[in-house]
């Protein structure tokens, strides 16, 4: 083989590699397109993060896609390959967010122990996966096997299908120890995405199975909260002082809940107050502030308290009620 022919082949190979680089999607764009083909509505996150990079309400200038009102990541998430190619050509190292609501998925987020012992009744569990297995056994059901993604910290995201109008939202610790969930209003980071400590990878490549009914029951907002404190007295509107006292009574339910039930008590209190806020008895701010103080006293982490308060109040707001004076 002559030197001229050899260098010709090298040039050809280099040209092919250039063409390939131009036509093959960059790595993360490829993963975003693959997720969209599975029906996931995706949107960009900041590189190596799980924070949406599309502009938020505060930075909205009311032009372009937002000319008729601001659209957030949940509204803008898409399965459209052209839009995905556009987003990831602008920023090829963006991580991939999946908007759970529009994707009609519900995700169980099973976490590692992070070096902690599981509390009763989960003694012996070393991961949210073990807790889910215990719960499945109690329910007389098989442990769910569905499309699963492993997170960089060893957590597992179990994806499930839900109907388009599923009301199920995010939960924190409601199902069990080291089990959170993402639904309406929630996002998960798609496989292929990178964090400083590793990547999100597919752990189980099977189809996305329907959400089992017994799991749906555990993540559904509480429909029948604990008996509420008796209204103080009807006919005339309550004085502000008595209204204040009522607020304190509801929050005291969180303060005095037995150990390990503080989180549930917080959701119930939020539900009760959510109804009364919807009925015009308290402002949303007052109710939230009181609930957060109660949560703080029970050492419920702020982000968990936030989720519990929002879940409970949102559920309660569907059933407005008012306090009345007796006699
Ligand atoms: Zn906007």
């Amino acid at each position: 083989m002559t030197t001229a022919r050899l260098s010709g082949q090298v040039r050809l190979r280099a040209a092919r590699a250039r063409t390939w680089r131009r036509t093959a999607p960059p790595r993360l764009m490829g993963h975003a397109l693959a997720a969209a083909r599975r029906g996931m509505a995706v949107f960009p996150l900041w590189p190596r993060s799980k924070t949406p990079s599309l502009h938020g309400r505060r930075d909205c200038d009311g032009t372009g896609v937002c000319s008729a009102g601001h659209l957030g990541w949940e509204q803008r998430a898409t399965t459209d390959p052209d839009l995905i190619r556009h987003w990831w050509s602008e920023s090829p190292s963006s991580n991939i967010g999946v908007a759970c609501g529009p994707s009609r998925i519900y995700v169980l987020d099973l976490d590692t122990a992070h070096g902690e012992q599981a509390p009763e009744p989960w003694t012996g569990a070393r991961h949210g996966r073990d807790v889910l297995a215990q719960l499945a056994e109690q329910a007389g059901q098989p442990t769910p096997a569905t499309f699963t993604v492993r997170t960089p910290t060893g957590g597992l995201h179990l994806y499930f299908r839900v109907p388009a109008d599923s009301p199920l939202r995010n939960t924190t610790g409601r199902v069990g120890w080291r089990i959170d969930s993402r639904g309406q209003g929630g996002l998960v980071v798609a496989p292929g995405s990178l964090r400083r400590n590793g990547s999100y990878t597919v752990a189980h490549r099977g189809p996305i199975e329907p959400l089992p009914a017994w799991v749906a029951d555990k993540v559904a907002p509480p429909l029948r909260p604990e008996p509420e404190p008796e209204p103080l007295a009807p006919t005339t509107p309550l004085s502000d002082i008595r209204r204040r006292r009522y607020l304190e009574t509801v929050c005291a339910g969180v303060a005095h809940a037995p150990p390990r039930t503080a989180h549930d008590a917080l959701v119930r209190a939020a539900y009760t107050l959510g109804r009364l806020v919807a009925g015009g008895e308290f402002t949303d701010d007052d109710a939230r502030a009181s609930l957060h103080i109660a949560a703080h006293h029970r050492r419920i982490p702020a982000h968990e308290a936030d989720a519990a308060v929002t879940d409970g109040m949102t559920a309660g707001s569907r059933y407005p009620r008012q306090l009345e004076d007796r006699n």
Side-chain angles (χ1 to χ4, degrees):
M1 192 181 289
T2 67
T3 311
R5 272 188 69 197
L6 189 64
S7 66
Q9 279 181 354
V10 168
R11 275 200 300 276
L12 186 63
R13 215 172 293 151
R16 274 199 198 123
R18 275 197 302 276
T19 311
W20 185 85
R21 275 199 296 274
R22 271 203 303 276
T23 54
R27 210 186 63 82
L28 278 153
M29 183 194 285
H31 283 291
L33 290 166
R37 280 197 298 275
R38 278 195 304 271
M40 303 294 112
V42 300
F43 61 97
L45 308 171
W46 293 110
R48 300 202 173 236
S49 104
K50 45 181 177 181
T51 307
S53 60
L54 298 174
H55 75 262
R57 188 176 295 279
R58 275 185 205 166
D59 304 319
C60 188
D61 59 7
T63 63
V65 291
C66 298
S67 54
H70 174 67
L71 296 179
W73 54 262
E74 195 169 25
Q75 288 93 37
R76 291 177 66 187
T78 187
T79 55
D80 174 6
D82 291 336
L83 182 52
I84 292 169
R85 281 193 201 96
H86 169 73
W87 276 339
W88 269 269
S89 346
E90 302 259 285
S91 175
S93 51
S94 286
N95 266 350
I96 305 149
V98 172
C100 298
S103 302
R104 302 179 191 187
I105 57 163
Y106 198 79
V107 177
L108 285 186
D109 179 1
L110 312 178
D111 204 358
T112 61
H114 293 300
E116 283 178 32
Q117 298 280 331
E120 290 275 347
W122 318 112
T123 318
R126 304 165 66 101
H127 192 286
R129 180 183 43 210
D130 303 334
V131 173
L132 186 68
Q134 279 186 40
L135 289 168
E137 198 182 326
Q138 281 163 21
Q141 299 289 331
T143 305
T146 185
F147 180 81
T148 303
V149 173
R150 189 184 312 280
T151 76
T153 53
L156 293 171
H157 288 168
L158 273 58
Y159 286 49
F160 296 99
R161 292 225 165 274
V162 286
D165 57 356
S166 161
L168 301 176
R169 299 183 64 85
N170 303 346
T171 68
T172 307
R174 188 187 294 163
V175 178
W177 185 70
R178 296 292 187 245
I179 303 183
D180 294 345
S181 66
R182 303 281 173 266
Q184 295 290 345
L187 68 90
V188 286
V189 182
S193 299
L194 299 168
R195 299 297 298 282
R196 231 168 279 151
N197 46 3
S199 62
Y200 291 79
T201 55
V202 177
H204 178 77
R205 201 167 279 286
I208 301 176
E209 299 290 344
L211 183 68
W214 69 270
V215 179
D217 285 346
K218 294 200 181 293
V219 295
L223 287 178
R224 277 177 303 155
E226 295 279 283
E228 291 160 18
E230 278 297 302
L232 290 171
T235 60
T236 52
L238 285 176
S239 72
D240 283 345
I241 292 170
R242 297 174 86 186
R243 197 176 274 119
R244 184 84 228 159
R245 206 174 295 150
Y246 188 89
L247 196 61
E248 282 164 9
T249 309
V250 173
C251 291
V254 180
H256 301 125
R260 293 187 295 274
T261 64
H263 182 274
D264 285 354
L266 179 63
V267 175
R268 281 196 301 273
Y271 177 90
T272 301
L273 293 184
R275 294 186 65 189
L276 295 165
V277 167
E281 292 288 2
F282 303 107
T283 66
D284 191 271
D285 283 354
D286 281 351
R288 273 175 201 274
S290 304
L291 290 163
H292 275 287
I293 290 167
H296 181 74
H297 282 306
R298 294 307 299 265
R299 295 167 190 259
I300 300 173
H303 67 281
E304 283 180 24
D306 223 22
V309 167
T310 299
D311 282 353
M313 288 186 65
T314 306
S317 68
R318 291 188 206 112
Y319 308 98
R321 70 175 276 256
Q322 284 166 337
L323 297 170
E324 286 170 299
D325 257 3
R326 261 188 301 260
N327 74 42

